[in-house]
Amino acid sequence: MFQLKLNPLTGDSEWILIEEEDTGKQTTPKALLATTSYLDMLNDTRRSRAFRLAIDSTITKPCHVLDIGAGTGLLSMMATRAMGLSDLEGGIGSEGMVTACESYLPMVKLMRKVLRANGMDGKIRVINKRSDELEVGVDIPFRADVVVSEILDSELLGEGLIPSLQHAHDKLLVENPKTVPYRATIYGQLVECSYLRAKHGLTNREAKPSGDGIHLVPSGMAGILCIKQQQFAMHCNSLKEELKLLSEPFKVFDFDFWRRPESSRETELHIKASNDGTIHAIISWWILQLDKEATIFYSTGPKWIDCPVTKVIESAFIGSENWCDHWKQNVWFAPSTDISVLRDTNVKLHAVHTETHVAYKFMTSPQMKYVEHHDFDAQDSQVLLSPERYALYGDNNWRCLMLNAIKRALQHRVSPLCLIADDSIFLTVAVAHLSKNSNVIPLFPGLGKRGSQYLQAVAKANGYTMDRIEIIKKGDLKLTLHEPHQRKVDLMIAEPFYYGNDNILPWDNLRFWQDRTLLDPILSKDVLIMPCRGLLRACVMYLPDLWQSRRCLQNIEGFDHSLANSILGACGDIPASEESPFLPFFVWQCGKFKTLSEIVTILEFDFSKPISPCSGKTQVQFREAGICHGLVVWIDWVMDVEDNASIITTGPDERRWKQAVKLFRKPVEVRGGDFSTEIKAFFDPTDGDLRIHYVFS
């Protein structure tokens, strides 16, 4: 079996071989599936109990049950037990049978181990295929009477729910089958929130007279740099105190699992405003009805919802609220043109769903015209950014710091050759704008040709011409500039930012240091590197919700899942001989959190020199008593060697960057003042790995 792995220092994907011994014992690397949502999902006790109760009430006699997207086989084992097959001797019978369909091979291998540990390996038929690849008479002997599935993402449809159910109803299920879940309903709510507005308000900010002269989104070209028109999963409970609710929750779409769904639908909604304000976003979620009798429900809704539709079924919800990361709420951003509303007036909204997504369009009242996000057909020159990156480019403080650092770097350089080592369109435009005699080479390792087309489209608005911009691939750059009489690079800069790598650990951005090293032969003797240094920072935090969601699995509704802990990268309650992996999180969205220690610098990366191993250690003092669950680590980037105040911090107080979190094996109770921990770190440039160890004292 092969697994695709990203080399963080080169940006290249590499296939690694995962071998099995002849005995069938799996030698899969530990924490292979740590970045997936399986562990968090299995630790969601509300979810597991709701499915168990629904399966027990739905499957009351032997039948053929099909589990689509079986994962560890939990729902398949529930169905087997509900039919009484788990107590029978022998293998799969003719009256009742369960077919577990799972397409991801590493998960299939894990499922077989979990089934074996629970005495069910001979009672459930496991098929390593997508459900739409199954054929009656080939893969399964006859159509299934019941389908159980949980191929749901935060948006509900993103994991292929509709096409999977369509194929199942057409090819795999009997007429009028039983289903778990039975139905799902999507709800929405209009909100005003300045934080959410900042994630798509760059056009308005650059239009202000007090701007800095950089126009990433020139007038009349609002679509050239934007976020994707889609729903973004987000823990909206973290924004509760910053939200102004402008409507009651409203129903958008129902999806019945027990019948064949349509590929697409659309509807016009008339929503009464409950407050005066400006619509910045639609927050949405879904409620799952798991049984036909409407007694068992599961909701991904935010904590603040309080409306009749939820009050009616409030008593039917399973258990108490618990934070989980596998299902969040969704945010759909309103158009950049502000939509103001008055209390008790109607807002007209057009909603449409495809096979995989839900989308919205606002409609003005008088002419009933769509209010679009963009007024420019960007086509090939359009660059789509994450909401966090888009908000960063609109942050006046960040722009001012970066521009001041660039101005100081360009001082006393008449016609510098500047290399932009990453995918920063802001730095490329800024250098070309500020230095009229500069020549700029953006590498654009992720943006590629699209980055070049974008630069050409915004050139006039920013006062430069494309004859000063040259796009050269990194591999060709050394050959081009290493020739005799060729100029060498005077300024090499980065944010650093690599397009498309939004879910990486902070030190994966040290790819910038690796590139600086590989390109050393073409750098001038007095080259200025920006950022000049990187500071590895850390603190110890109270993170009870995140720790609970990542802890070791034991018994889930009567089924042992302890064998899954290693491959799923469990952190809490792991054996003393094992170590939890670092994982990237927006700490501010991780439920309850609190910093208990001082913030310390563990080590420094010196980018003025080629990449090399480096290590450091420090003592961390606790500033207050409490329960600590993990170590949070990030990198602060020092942009200017002469100004230590020009630091871009990416710590947990900053919402636009993910931090690396290493959860402790056990929560540690600490006292303030005299309690401390020693942290040691070692960076290995051969594999880009950062090893961190800690000892409490």
Side-chain angles (χ1 to χ4, degrees), residues 525-541:
K525 291 182 179 180
D526 62 343
V527 64
L528 194 150
I529 307 293
M530 194 175 84
C532 58
R533 288 183 294 140
L535 308 177
L536 187 70
R537 313 295 298 275
C539 66
V540 179
M541 298 191 72

Side-chain angles (χ1 to χ4, degrees), residues 228-259:
K228 193 173 183 180
Q229 292 192 58
Q230 66 174 45
Q231 295 193 97
F232 292 91
M234 187 181 300
H235 289 287
C236 294
N237 287 325
S238 301
L239 294 170
K240 182 179 179 181
E241 302 304 319
E242 303 173 49
L243 292 171
K244 181 178 182 181
L245 304 180
L246 300 181
S247 75
E248 296 295 329
F250 51 86
K251 184 185 293 188
V252 184
F253 289 113
D254 280 320
F255 296 89
D256 294 322
F257 291 61
W258 49 272
R259 62 183 176 187

Side-chain angles (χ1 to χ4, degrees), residues 596 622 625-629 664 666-672 675 696:
L596 300 178
F622 286 84
I627 305 295
C628 54
H629 298 89
F664 298 148
K666 297 281 186 182
V668 179
E669 184 174 3
V670 299
R671 303 178 302 276
F675 208 86
F696 285 95

Side-chain angles (χ1 to χ4, degrees), residues 457-575:
V458 303
K460 183 177 180 181
N462 288 281
Y464 65 83
T465 54
M466 286 303 291
D467 60 336
R468 293 167 45 209
I469 309 288
E470 186 175 5
I471 308 292
I472 305 177
K473 292 183 179 179
K474 184 174 64 177
D476 299 330
L477 189 62
K478 289 174 67 176
L479 296 174
T480 303
L481 297 187
H482 201 58
E483 296 176 0
H485 310 299
Q486 284 291 333
R487 292 184 55 190
K488 295 203 170 185
V489 172
D490 303 295
L491 175 62
M492 180 175 179
I493 63 177
E495 295 186 25
F497 157 64
Y498 294 94
Y499 188 75
N501 290 354
D502 298 318
N503 196 39
I504 61 175
L505 294 167
W507 46 89
D508 289 345
N509 281 316
L510 293 176
R511 174 179 176 181
F512 162 71
W513 197 11
Q514 174 80 343
D515 287 343
R516 176 256 178 272
T517 305
L518 294 174
L519 298 174
D520 191 66
I522 65 170
L523 304 180
S524 65
K525 291 182 179 180
D526 62 343
V527 64
L528 194 150
I529 307 293
M530 194 175 84
C532 58
R533 288 183 294 140
L535 308 177
L536 187 70
R537 313 295 298 275
C539 66
V540 179
M541 298 191 72
Y542 168 74
L543 296 161
D545 296 318
L546 182 60
W547 191 89
Q548 180 68 31
S549 76
R550 301 293 309 179
R551 69 182 304 178
C552 274
L553 304 171
Q554 297 298 333
N555 185 294
I556 304 177
E557 296 298 323
F559 299 106
D560 181 12
H561 272 67
S562 58
L563 285 172
N565 288 319
S566 179
I567 191 172
L568 295 182
C571 302
D573 289 334
I574 60 177

Side-chain angles (χ1 to χ4, degrees), residues 591-622:
K592 297 176 184 176
F593 69 94
K594 187 178 183 180
T595 302
L596 300 178
S597 76
E598 61 183 356
I599 294 174
V600 297
T601 300
I602 308 174
L603 61 82
E604 294 189 10
F605 307 104
D606 185 357
F607 304 138
S608 67
K609 301 174 183 177
I611 195 169
S612 62
C614 49
S615 61
K617 67 177 181 179
T618 189
Q619 202 76 16
V620 183
Q621 294 293 134
F622 286 84

Side-chain angles (χ1 to χ4, degrees), residues 2 15 91 102 127 341 434 473 519 535 560 599 638 695:
F2 290 89
W15 289 98
E102 173 59 52
I127 301 179
V341 295
L434 293 173
K473 292 183 179 179
L519 298 174
L535 308 177
D560 181 12
I599 294 174
V638 182
V695 178

Side-chain angles (χ1 to χ4, degrees), residues 49-65 73-88 95-98 120 123-124 146 148 178 180 557-559:
R49 187 176 174 218
F51 270 92
R52 192 263 298 170
L53 290 174
I55 287 173
D56 286 348
S57 66
T58 301
I59 304 174
T60 56
K61 61 182 180 180
C63 58
H64 182 194
V65 179
L74 177 61
L75 303 188
S76 292
M77 291 189 289
M78 289 178 178
T80 302
R81 185 175 60 187
M83 287 189 286
L85 302 181
S86 57
D87 299 325
L88 298 178
E95 289 190 12
M97 65 177 293
V98 177
M120 290 199 176
K123 305 180 188 300
I124 296 172
V146 181
V148 297
K178 294 182 178 181
V180 177
E557 296 298 323
F559 299 106

